[in-house]
Each structure stands twice: as structure tokens, then as C-alpha cells.
Amino acid sequence: MSAWPANVTTASPFAAIADNGFLSDCETCALVAPNGAVEWLCLPRFDSPSVFGAILDRDAGLFRLGPDSVNVPASRRYLPGTMVLETSWGTRGGWIIVRDVLLIGPWHHEDERSHSHRRSPTDYDADHALLRLIRCVNGEVQVNLDCEPKFDYGRYAARWDYDGPGYHCAVASVDESEIALRLATDMRIGFEGGRACARTLMKEGDTLFAALTWSEHPGPRTYDDAYKRLVWTAHHWQHWLDHADFPDHPWRAHLQRSALTLKGLSYAPTGALVAAATTSLPESVGGERNWDYRYTWIRDSTFMLWGLYSLGFEWEANDYFYFLADLAEAEQGNLQIMYGVGGEAELPERTLDHLTGYEGSRPVRVGNNAYRQDQHDVWGAMLDSFYLHTKSRDQLPDRIWPILVKQVETALEHWEEPDYGIWEVRGEPKHFTSSKVMCWVAADRGARLAEIRGDMEYAARWQSAADAIKADVCAHAVDERGVFCQHYDTTALDASVLLLPLVRFLPANDPRIRSTVFAIADELSEEGLVLRYRPAETDDGLGGGEGSFTICSFWLVSALVEIGELSRAHDLCEKLLSYASPLNLYAEEIDPKSGRHLGNFPQAFTHLALINAVMHVIHAEQSPRIGDLPLGHEALGETERGFREPLSD
């Protein structure tokens, strides 16, 4: 497969990252380009090899359904409150509407148990089916179907065979994969090598369907059945969203889409949350900062649980909490920073050298060697999660206490050691400020939980340790200006220290907190968007640059609210929301100059930070006095107290 030459000035054959639509059934996901092509689908779960991978190489497989000779749609949207993507097409002869969805149906496993579910079964389950419906609403339109899967990240072309009489069902398979794809449609299918294709002329009032399935669950065989199952799925998403408590506010739609996206990035069988739907979408086009984010990071836990609880999604919060508890119990304190969605500990990284990468951005990676790194924020993230869960339930389960003790003790054993930091740099370990602070969080929350349990010996010892960590950070991480820096041996700035006011390391009115927030806002931003750090000042082991990290910009919004700069926070939040994709989705980064989305997509951490920032602003604007209610009080039904509680409270 030939790379896209860097010096070619014609338009890229790749769709802009932000222009992709995101579909999910909470076991896997699909990305749909504006031209109607499914260009990313991994089976049977998020981190499996792709069967459609054109987003990383134009020859790695796709599934297009749309009008002949027209690639730019008239409009795209999600059906309100759902994960059903609707694309409207206008041609010279007429108009069609295409609706795409990964189907969800009633629970399947009545007579046998699921092999993957570890959480309590619900009333619904993934159908393992990608459904595409077309309706001609005006005139006449020539419609084409082209389904060309390439198994194992584009390595193997499919072998197609008809299934049953006629031309309406076919099966794609390869000897090297256990996955087989079954395509059913009321169009007539033909084969051209590894591609199944069909074409027909639609007239006003005509309808068509195409369903691709990959398991024993039967897919729809008629348009009527397909339509009913789409409606069932749409209603499922709307009913799920109805369980939330969204504020009546102009930013409500952003909160709802972020909630749906986070649910879509969750793996229902275990409760895990993948960091993003994709691998190797570049942080800098043509560069090497291309990573596999289809795994679950422990550090996401506090933000994830707070976001779910604050919006009222307690079932999902409970599932995610017990996924974390299962990991912590199995690892006996030696937590990694990340795991597979099934709880897998080993995620060896390799490169797929046969793929060109998105716009020539190589290498393309699968797996992530960051799982081997020592990152000391994991214990704090876990303890803050335990604390939040306990406060939301008014109890600390007996099973959790020994897990909690081991986490705190491990944090105290290692907090004085250097690590690789929150950004997983591949340079030398350092005494990163944010890592030290998260070890403080582990001790501080541990002490609070010990107090709740009535174990005053642990409470006193852990609080004493928390005080020692805080003193060490304040003595070594603050520069001459009174600004918290990236690590102990530098004056460089790092956006991760914006977490200090959010985790209540120091009061928000502390001069060092205020100075730090203003320094990052003024000196670590480009066009108002926050960078993680400046690569020239940080030994991250990589070359090239990167865009602004959108999560950091949303952190700045929350931090500005904390220090009482509400007007500035509101303006920045409004600006960030204006950068959303046409479908209200976010990638990992935004180029400050062009507004182009970069990195893996959609990014869970960005949507988590969006919820946190938007709720910060809304709560502050609705509160009689800024800072009266710490973040999360209203969501958890607590009363005001005379001291500031942590982010997770």
C-alpha cells in the first residue's frame, strides 16, 4: 500500500477527523465518514482487529452506502437523544435519507450465559449488527452499495459466498479470522473480488436496507423488521438519556451528546470505559505521536464517576466502580495505569507497517507499552473513586476496605520515587508535580474513608502522610513566582497542575493556586487553547509537535471557576464548545490556529472534562455566591459544609 506523498497539494483522500460520525452498541463502535463510508469497525469488540480500516489506509476496507457520484451530503445529524446517525443527500434527480445504527435489542442470553458479561445483565444487549436504511423522499436517485472488508487491520481481503437462494444474502470470511460477516439487503448483491456491490434506482417512496452481522444473533431480513429494530434502538438511547438530570441550560445539548458518547465508549460486559474509539489518529499530521487508545485508563476513573453521578447515571457508575474494584482486588495494590476492556493486564505494543497511516502519519500502532510505565497518579485516582462511591452510597462495603488499605499503603511506599507522569512521557522519569499530588489524594481520601469506617489509627497515620506529601510538593514544585511547575527540577509549566484546585490540594484562594492558573492561561496557551506542555521544554522521548489538548482547556475552565474568575471561565467554555465537531464530538486535540481536530476520536477524557467544566460553570452561575457549593454537592444531594471537599464529592 503506497503512502500518500507529503508534497502533494491536492485534497486529502481522508475525511477530516472531526467529520466522522460515531456509532456504538456498547461492545464495539463504528466511524462513518461524510461520504457515507464506514471507515472504522473492529470486531467483536473495541480493541479487536479492524474489518473496516480505511481511516488508517485507503486500502484497509470500507463499507459505503449512498448516491452514485455524490460524496458531499446535504446535512448530517443524530436523531435527537440517540446514537442513530441520519445523513441527507441531494442529487440532480432527487433526495434520499440514510440512517445508520449499531443495533441494540432485548437481552439475548435467556437459555445460556454470556461468555463476556461480568456485570449484572440488563434488559438490553448488543445485536452485533450494523444497520443502514435508505428512504427516497423525492425524485429518483441511483444508489450504490460497496462493502469491502479487509480482515486483521487490512491484511486479508474477504472471500464472498452467497447465502441461501437469490442475490440478497452473502457471507464474507477469511481462513485467518474466526469472524465472518453476513450481509443481508433487499438490493441484489454481486461480487468483484473481495468487494460485494449492488446498485439500484430508487424512486420517491422507495425504501432499502442493508444489515451486516457478525455473531449468532440473527440480523434483520426485511425492511420492516430492520425499521422496527432501528426504532427499538433509538428508543433505548432516548430512554437511557431520560434517566439523567440535565440542567435546563443552552449548553444542555453538549452535555447530552457527551453523555451518549461516554456511554457509547463503555464496554457493557465489564463496565470498562475506552479512552477513545480509534488507534493511531495523529496528534500531528505526518508525525509519530500516534497511539492506541482503545483501552481503559485508571486516571479517567474519578472524572468518569463524577460525571456519571452528577448527571444521574448511577447504574453505569456502579458498573464502572466495580470494574475498578475487580482490578484493584486482583492486582493486590500493584495497579497498572491502564488495562484492556476485559481487564487484560498485558497490552504489548507493535506497529502495523503495512498501513500508510492517516494522511501518511506513521507508525500505526496497536497495543500500548505505556501499560508498563510507573505512573503514581493511579492510586490517587482509585482512592478518589472509592471516596466518591462511598459518599454517594453512604457506606463503605466490607469488600472494598482491604483493597483501599493496599492502595494507600502502596502510594505511601512509592510517592518519593520519580515516575513518567500523567502524560506518559517516554523520556527519563521525573518527580512530576501532578503525580506527587495524586499520591497526596490517595492519603487524604484514605484518611477520610478510615474516619468514616471508624478506624482512627489508619486515619491519623494517613493524614500525617498526606501532610508530609503536601509540604514536600509546596517546598520543591513552586518556582520563584509562586507557580507550580511540571516537576521538581524545572520551571516549565504543565497543564496537569490545573488539577490542584480541582482535587482541593490547596484552597482556591491560595496565591500559589491563583498564580498557577493565570500562568497556564497566559503562558501555556495558544489562541486561548491550552497545551499539555511545550515539547521543547519537556523530555518526552518524541520528536515533532502537537496541538492543544482539549481536556486541558476544559480543566482551565473548571480551575477559573474555582478561583472565582467566572466571566473568564464562561467565555472560554463557550469558545471551546464552538470548536465541537458538526456532530458535537471531540477528538483528543485541537490545532489552535486552524481549529482542526487531531488525535484519536472521539476522546472520552475530553467529553469527561467537558461535563466537568460545563457543570462547574452552570453551578457557579446558579449559586448565590461563587464557591458556596463545591463541585458535585448538588448532584449527590449533600448539604453545604464549612470546608471545601474534593472534586469527587
Side-chain angles (χ1 to χ4, degrees):
M1 302 175 186
S2 58
W4 184 255
N7 59 349
V8 172
T9 58
T10 55
S12 168
F14 293 87
I17 291 171
D19 285 345
N20 285 284
F22 170 64
L23 309 177
S24 174
D25 62 6
C26 298
E27 290 191 18
T28 191
C29 65
L31 294 186
V32 188
N35 70 349
V38 176
E39 295 193 353
W40 186 247
L41 176 64
C42 299
L43 299 177
R45 65 183 209 180
F46 292 103
D47 57 353
S48 299
S50 66
V51 295
F52 301 130
I55 199 169
L56 295 177
D57 189 303
R58 303 318 290 168
D59 290 327
L62 56 78
F63 178 14
R64 182 177 187 268
L65 185 63
D68 181 51
S69 302
V70 179
N71 287 303
V72 180
S75 69
R76 303 170 84 210
R77 64 162 188 156
Y78 285 108
L79 297 187
T82 79
M83 294 286 283
V84 179
L85 180 64
E86 181 181 271
T87 306
S88 298
W89 296 91
T91 71
R92 290 182 179 179
W95 288 76
I96 59 172
I97 294 175
V98 178
R99 289 178 175 172
D100 294 322
V101 63
L102 283 169
L103 289 176
I104 296 174
W107 180 254
H108 293 102
H109 305 280
E110 296 296 345
D111 299 322
E112 83 290 339
R113 286 188 295 274
S114 165
H115 298 297
S116 57
H117 276 75
R118 295 207 296 273
R119 305 277 74 86
S120 300
T122 62
D123 297 328
Y124 54 87
D125 193 12
D127 273 347
H128 304 154
L130 171 64
L131 176 63
R132 318 194 72 178
L133 298 183
I134 312 178
R135 181 165 56 94
C136 183
V137 296
N138 176 265
E140 298 182 350
V141 179
Q142 183 75 39
V143 171
N144 291 350
L145 178 154
D146 292 289
C147 184
E148 188 173 12
K150 293 284 187 71
F151 292 80
D152 194 17
Y153 299 110
R155 283 193 176 93
Y156 305 110
R159 179 181 64 251
W160 284 98
D161 297 291
Y162 287 113
D163 183 27
Y167 295 88
H168 298 293
C169 291
V171 175
S173 61
V174 294
D175 294 337
E176 293 81 2
S177 174
E178 296 180 358
I179 292 289
L181 302 176
R182 187 174 186 277
L183 177 63
T185 177
D186 42 16
M187 303 175 73
R188 288 178 292 277
I189 304 170
F191 307 137
E192 296 178 359
R195 180 166 63 111
C197 52
R199 58 186 60 87
T200 191
L201 180 66
M202 296 189 73
K203 299 180 181 180
E204 183 174 337
D206 286 350
T207 57
L208 293 170
F209 86 97
L212 194 70
T213 58
W214 50 88
S215 78
E216 72 279 8
H217 304 329
R221 299 297 297 267
T222 67
Y223 179 88
D224 287 344
D225 182 31
Y227 179 76
K228 289 176 182 177
R229 292 169 73 163
L230 180 144
V231 170
W232 198 102
T233 303
H235 286 171
H236 158 75
W237 286 112
Q238 290 170 337
H239 292 158
W240 179 82
L241 207 60
D242 285 345
H243 288 108
D245 183 18
F246 293 102
D248 186 16
H249 191 276
W251 294 342
R252 178 187 179 103
H254 290 278
L255 289 171
Q256 290 179 327
R257 183 50 51 189
S258 290
L260 286 163
T261 302
L262 292 173
K263 177 65 172 175
L265 289 170
S266 66
Y267 184 62
T270 64
L273 173 77
V274 295
T278 57
T279 180
S280 299
L281 293 184
E283 296 176 14
S284 176
V285 173
E288 63 176 325
R289 297 170 183 264
N290 318 314
W291 312 107
D292 192 349
Y293 279 6
R294 298 170 299 160
Y295 307 108
T296 187
W297 267 255
I298 296 298
R299 73 168 56 94
D300 295 1
S301 58
T302 299
F303 281 89
M304 180 64 173
L305 287 170
W306 184 87
L308 291 170
Y309 282 130
S310 66
L311 296 177
F313 294 115
E314 294 199 4
W315 185 298
E316 286 74 17
N318 196 68
D319 282 353
Y320 186 59
F321 174 80
Y322 279 104
F323 171 75
L324 296 175
D326 288 348
L327 291 176
E329 189 172 46
E331 297 285 23
Q332 298 183 340
N334 299 314
L335 277 175
Q336 297 177 182
I337 66 162
M338 58 189 293
Y339 293 87
V341 295
E344 296 83 4
E346 294 189 5
L347 309 170
E349 184 177 305
R350 57 193 173 94
T351 61
L352 304 180
D353 297 330
H354 64 286
L355 297 179
T356 66
Y358 179 87
E359 292 195 3
S361 303
R362 303 177 77 177
V364 173
R365 295 180 172 94
V366 293
N368 196 316
N369 280 343
Y371 82 94
R372 296 172 174 159
Q373 290 188 354
D374 292 326
Q375 295 178 23
H376 296 166
D377 63 322
V378 294
W379 304 298
M382 184 66 75
L383 262 295
D384 215 11
S385 300
F386 286 171
Y387 183 75
L388 171 58
H389 186 79
T390 300
K391 299 295 284 185
S392 71
R393 295 291 193 274
D394 292 325
Q395 63 172 330
L396 179 62
D398 288 339
R399 174 197 170 195
I400 299 301
W401 177 246
I403 302 174
L404 183 155
V405 171
K406 185 64 176 177
Q407 298 303 310
V408 179
E409 293 294 335
T410 305
L412 298 184
E413 181 182 346
H414 294 286
W415 77 267
E416 294 180 285
E417 302 169 2
D419 74 332
Y420 290 94
I422 187 174
W423 306 126
E424 300 164 7
V425 298
R426 301 201 174 191
E428 291 299 315
K430 303 288 185 183
H431 292 280
F432 285 100
T433 302
S434 62
S435 297
K436 306 290 187 189
V437 168
M438 292 308 291
C439 288
W440 170 85
V441 169
D444 178 80
R445 306 310 191 256
R448 293 169 186 261
L449 288 165
E451 220 175 301
I452 291 172
R453 187 177 171 86
D455 195 323
M456 305 314 294
E457 181 179 345
Y458 271 124
R461 185 161 65 84
W462 289 346
Q463 187 57 57
S464 176
D467 294 341
I469 297 172
K470 178 180 287 187
D472 191 77
V473 171
C474 291
H476 296 98
V478 182
D479 67 11
E480 295 179 352
R481 300 183 299 168
V483 172
F484 284 95
C485 300
Q486 182 182 65
H487 58 77
Y488 283 8
D489 302 317
T490 186
T491 58
L493 295 175
D494 191 303
S496 64
V497 299
L498 288 170
L499 292 174
L500 270 62
L502 304 187
V503 300
R504 311 299 193 244
F505 181 72
L506 290 172
N509 60 1
D510 188 291
R512 292 164 293 184
I513 292 295
R514 293 182 60 82
S515 296
T516 300
V517 174
F518 288 136
I520 290 173
D522 298 336
E523 302 170 29
L524 196 60
S525 299
E526 293 186 4
E527 306 295 332
L529 303 183
V530 182
L531 308 175
R532 292 190 300 177
Y533 50 78
R534 295 197 181 275
E537 300 175 339
T538 300
D539 177 22
D540 62 8
L542 298 166
E546 59 183 26
S548 71
F549 262 59
T550 315
I551 180 178
C552 300
S553 297
F554 280 120
W555 283 349
L556 178 57
V557 170
S558 298
L560 287 168
V561 173
E562 289 290 328
I563 66 173
E565 296 289 327
L566 182 55
S567 177
R568 189 171 178 178
H570 181 105
D571 291 346
L572 177 57
C573 193
E574 198 161 55
K575 179 176 182 176
L576 292 171
L577 295 178
S578 74
Y579 280 107
S581 82
L583 295 169
N584 274 355
L585 302 173
Y586 287 86
E588 181 179 25
E589 302 183 20
I590 295 174
D591 184 293
K593 293 182 173 58
S594 67
R596 181 180 186 179
H597 287 228
L598 297 166
N600 286 307
F601 179 86
Q603 179 85 2
F605 217 169
T606 303
H607 286 276
L608 289 167
L610 181 155
I611 292 173
N612 192 294
V614 167
M615 295 297 282
H616 248 104
V617 173
I618 293 175
H619 282 169
E621 290 178 339
Q622 294 177 350
S623 176
R625 296 186 307 277
I626 295 174
D628 272 0
L629 289 177
L631 182 62
H633 264 219
E634 294 175 328
L636 299 180
E638 298 193 10
T639 57
E640 182 179 352
R641 274 171 275 186
F643 57 87
R644 283 187 171 271
E645 288 284 12
L647 165 72
S648 59
D649 196 24

